[in-house]
Every structure is written in structure tokens, then in C-alpha cells.
Amino acid sequence: MKHAAGESCGLAVAGASIAAALAISGCTANSTSAVEISGGIPWSALDGATAAPTAGTDPCAVWNKDGAAAVKNRLTGELEKIVTSQIIGAHVSPGAAVVVGCGDKAIVLLGRGNTSYDDATAKKVSVDTTLYDLASVQKPIIGATALTLEKRGKMNLTAPVSTYLPGYTGDSKSKVTIEQLLMHRAGMNPPGKDDLPYKSIIGSATTPGAVQKNILSQAPRVEPGGSYSYSNVGYSIAGMAISSAAGQPLDGAVRTAVLEPLGMTKTQFNPNPSENTCAPTSSDYNLADTFTCKPQDWLSRAEGGVAGHAGLFATAEDMAKFAAMLANQGSLNGKQVLTPDQVARMAKSQPNASYGLAARTNSAGRYGPFMGPQAFGHTGWNGTSFVVDPVSRMWIVGLANVSLGQKVEGETKPLNNFLGAFAAMGEAVANNYSALANQ
């Protein structure tokens, strides 16, 4: 990643969201036409787009100012305090890795704490070597893989799943499209309901192939194409369809479409524990059941560790490359992975849901108020998160292993506390961005 120079913006106000800081600074114009920020995505495609930034301006240019080094140091200190007090000190996770950037440039890289509470096995967290179980944070990567296949003419996202998985027919299965799966609108669950218990889906199957056969037997529980309802099973099916369209196993398809072009060399399914440092996870906060370099998600493990909904491991540095690509119109280091329109489709909320195409949006404030309603990214059950603000082009990656945070069965407080800490990171980023623009 490198810095993209551009025109500097002026006055901003500390304590406001980054988008508000841009508006106050005079970096916006009273227009709703499809003006592009330098390096940004089409403004008209964004949620809450009431004013368009002036054409040719680059919000990241503030990081070229004379006082940028001091602001970066202050931001680093504030992020370190959040990690050490709100994550490590609060027993949310034994450690965390954080990367903050703007456009295609990383600004802060921070690894603190350990991979485990077990002194005998714990290793220091590093942004470039510690692998975290991404859990659902991999969903945008799966979505980007599908979009890359679309760009290459190998996949039509509006086509029925049966186009790529001929056996997925009968009942209302034949009505389900790839896009509906990626947007959680395939009717796999009634609105507000979870997937059926993994145990009932896996059944007596003992091989990945048999488990996937059982998954493909799952029909929509409500009419496809209706309301949003989150489904890991739907993403597992999407992963199988992507594999078929790509003509290679899912891990190979993801590597070819996304990981290799972006230089995400550490990101992988089924990492070898003898060659990699993985932050361990536990099953439902039960430390008697700990997984190292294996996915915490039971269904993914049953599928052999390679599945559309979970199973991917990555370092914070690698995830930073993915976030930077999204903040840079789908391009990084000269590689156009996605088109600007495809990135905009990921960023735009669907009706009555804070979810775009394979990405959670911030229209309901999931990432905190400081990233703005147009921000998008994803969160993961293990305490993993990233968010991109396409207006400011700022992005944050935060990876932890919160399932080690408490031993209470079914306790979700560690994850909620991690998300609170992640929102605090957004506040620190916004305030320092605004302070720098004020100089």
C-alpha cells in the first residue's frame, strides 16, 4: 500500500464524524450528481448521499500535511490505550491487532498482547504474522470473489443457484439467486430467525462431501427474494456455487480472484499450525474445547475447514490490503480487483436492512457514529471487524479472539465489548483526522 497524494481539505471539527468533518471543511458541494472523489466510489451510489464532494479532491491528502507525523503518533497512543484497557485489560481478548489507513496507505499498525491466556503456548500478537480466525469477516471476501467472477464473465449474480449447482432444485430452491444468497435475502430463515441448528444440518454425515450434500438439501424456509435474514447456510451454498463457476475448489477460487492480486500472502484456509501462528478460539466460550488453526465455526469444520461462510484466517496486515482496495475504487497496487460500481454495490444498503452485497453497512450505526452512515465492512463472531468509509477513504481493521475472553457458556459480552472498543477506535480516528484537517 502507498499514499495517494491529492488536494488538501481545510477546516474540520473535532468530535464530528469524518463525513461531517469533510462537509464542514468545504470539501463538499451542493450536488447529488455522480461526482467521484479522487480514488473514491461514485457518491450517488452511497447511503445518505445528500451532498457530493468536490470533484478531484482527495480526503487522504490531509495525511501529507506537516503536522501529520505528530497526529499519527497521538492516534497510535490513543488506539493503544483502547486495546490495552478496553480489550486486553477488560479480559475481552488476550490481544489484538489493529491497522488504520486512508486510501491505499496504512497509517497506524498496532499489535498488542498475546494470542492466548496460556503462558505455555501464548505468543506476542503481530500485525503481519498472527493469523486470526476471521469468522464472518470473510463474507466480503467471498462476495468479492463472486464479483470478480462476474467481472470476468464467469458468473451471473442474478442467475439461479441451479445454474452452477444443478442439483439445487425443487421446492423453492430454483428461485434462489446468487445475489440473494450474498445479500441474505434468499429466504433461508424467516426474518429475525437464525439458521437451523448446525447439529440438525450435519446429522450423521462424517465427511465434508456428505455435510455439503446435507447443506444443499436445505430449502428456503420463506419465499426467496423477500426480507433480509442473516444465514451462514446461505453463504455456504454460495461458496459451493462460486467453486463451480470458477472451476476450482473454493480456496483456490478465493486465492486466484482476491488474495493473489492483493498480495494477501498470509491469508488462507486450514493454516498449518507448524508453519503459522494462529490465535486460538474456543467453542461457545468453553475453554475445554479450543481450536488452533481450525475454524471456531462447527459447520465450517464439518465442511473440512473450507466453506463460504467461515474458515478463512488472515493477519491484520492482509485484511488492511483488502480494506484499502475497497477504499481505492476496487484497485490496489495497479491491480483492479473490483470495478468502482461493484464496490458501490457492496456499500449500498438494501431496503430495510443494514446490509449491502456481502457487507454490513453502517446505516444503523453498527460501527459507531464516527465512520458515517455510508461506511461498510463486516464483523465476526470471534472479535474480528473491519470498516471502510468511502467518503473519507479512511478504514480500520481490528482482529482479536474474544471467544477466549470469558468461560461463561453462551456469554456474548466479550463480543459486544469488542464492538464497543472498535467503535471507540472509530472515534479516535475521526477526532485525529479532524484535528489534522484543522491545522
Side-chain angles (χ1 to χ4, degrees):
M1 292 175 286
K2 61 181 181 179
H3 180 75
E7 182 180 342
S8 176
C9 295
L11 177 68
V13 176
S17 71
I18 298 177
L22 285 169
I24 294 169
S25 70
C27 292
T28 61
N30 292 324
S31 170
T32 55
S33 59
V35 177
E36 291 185 5
I37 312 172
S38 176
I41 70 174
W43 178 259
S44 62
L46 301 177
D47 292 317
T50 56
T54 303
T57 62
D58 180 7
C60 294
V62 298
W63 297 102
N64 279 340
K65 298 178 74 171
D66 291 340
V71 173
K72 290 177 187 177
N73 288 337
R74 184 174 65 213
L75 175 59
T76 300
E78 292 176 7
L79 293 173
E80 182 171 22
K81 183 177 180 180
I82 291 169
V83 170
T84 55
S85 63
Q86 297 187 40
I87 296 179
I88 299 173
H91 206 66
V92 171
S93 175
V98 177
V99 185
V100 174
C102 192
D104 58 0
K105 180 180 177 63
I107 295 170
V108 175
L109 298 95
L110 182 71
R112 291 294 183 268
N114 300 311
T115 57
S116 172
Y117 293 114
D118 184 350
D119 293 338
T121 60
K123 296 183 180 180
K124 292 294 183 183
V125 169
S126 168
V127 295
D128 61 344
T129 61
T130 304
L131 286 171
Y132 282 93
D133 181 352
L134 294 180
S136 288
V137 165
Q138 84 167 45
K139 287 183 170 71
I141 298 177
I142 293 298
T145 301
L147 288 166
T148 299
L149 292 173
E150 176 190 67
K151 184 161 68 84
R152 296 174 181 173
K154 291 187 175 182
M155 196 171 208
N156 179 357
L157 270 57
T158 62
V161 173
S162 58
T163 305
Y164 309 100
L165 299 173
Y168 196 72
T169 57
D171 300 317
S172 54
K173 293 179 184 177
S174 54
K175 299 180 182 179
V176 176
T177 68
I178 302 297
E179 185 176 68
Q180 288 170 355
L181 291 174
L182 296 178
M183 297 180 77
H184 298 291
R185 294 179 57 244
M188 302 308 296
N189 304 317
K193 301 294 184 180
D194 294 329
D195 284 317
L196 293 173
Y198 284 171
K199 184 176 181 179
S200 68
I201 295 172
I202 296 170
S204 60
T206 57
T207 66
V211 171
Q212 291 190 334
K213 183 178 179 180
N214 286 354
I215 292 170
L216 290 175
S217 72
Q218 302 297 310
R221 296 158 67 192
V222 295
E223 185 69 15
S227 300
Y228 164 89
S229 187
Y230 195 90
S231 174
N232 282 329
V233 170
Y235 260 76
S236 180
I237 295 170
M240 295 181 222
I242 288 169
S243 173
S244 175
Q248 59 185 142
L250 180 61
D251 52 354
V254 172
R255 186 168 55 249
T256 300
V258 178
L259 306 184
E260 289 180 350
L262 293 180
M264 296 172 67
T265 58
K266 304 289 179 60
T267 305
Q268 57 193 296
F269 291 95
N270 287 325
N272 187 331
S274 66
E275 299 174 357
N276 298 278
T277 299
C278 297
T281 58
S282 65
S283 178
D284 296 327
Y285 308 107
N286 178 3
L287 297 190
D289 206 2
T290 302
F291 309 101
T292 302
C293 293
K294 293 182 179 180
Q296 186 267 355
D297 184 271
W298 182 13
L299 188 61
S300 178
R301 291 198 310 275
E303 291 184 66
V306 181
H309 67 289
L312 197 61
F313 286 74
T315 63
E317 185 179 66
D318 269 9
M319 277 305 302
K321 295 174 183 177
F322 185 75
M325 177 272 292
L326 294 176
N328 204 47
Q329 277 194 309
S331 174
L332 190 67
N333 296 331
K335 302 289 182 66
Q336 191 75 43
V337 178
L338 300 177
T339 68
D341 176 70
Q342 287 177 323
V343 178
R345 286 158 63 191
M346 295 181 71
K348 186 173 179 61
S349 294
Q350 56 187 291
N352 303 314
S354 297
Y355 209 96
L357 197 154
R360 288 192 183 278
T361 65
N362 202 38
S363 58
R366 186 175 186 87
Y367 305 105
F370 296 93
M371 294 305 289
Q374 68 290 320
F376 68 106
H378 219 287
T379 55
W381 178 253
N382 291 322
T384 51
S385 191
F386 84 98
V387 63
V388 177
D389 188 325
V391 175
S392 67
R393 300 181 66 209
M394 292 296 301
W395 46 264
I396 308 172
V397 172
L399 304 182
N401 48 331
V402 304
S403 59
L404 294 185
Q406 290 194 14
K407 301 180 183 181
V408 181
E409 182 76 21
E411 175 63 68
T412 58
K413 187 177 180 180
L415 177 57
N416 291 338
N417 288 346
F418 171 80
L419 293 175
F422 191 76
M425 295 178 200
E427 180 177 3
V429 169
N431 286 343
N432 281 278
Y433 180 99
S434 299
L436 182 59
N438 265 324
Q439 294 181 2

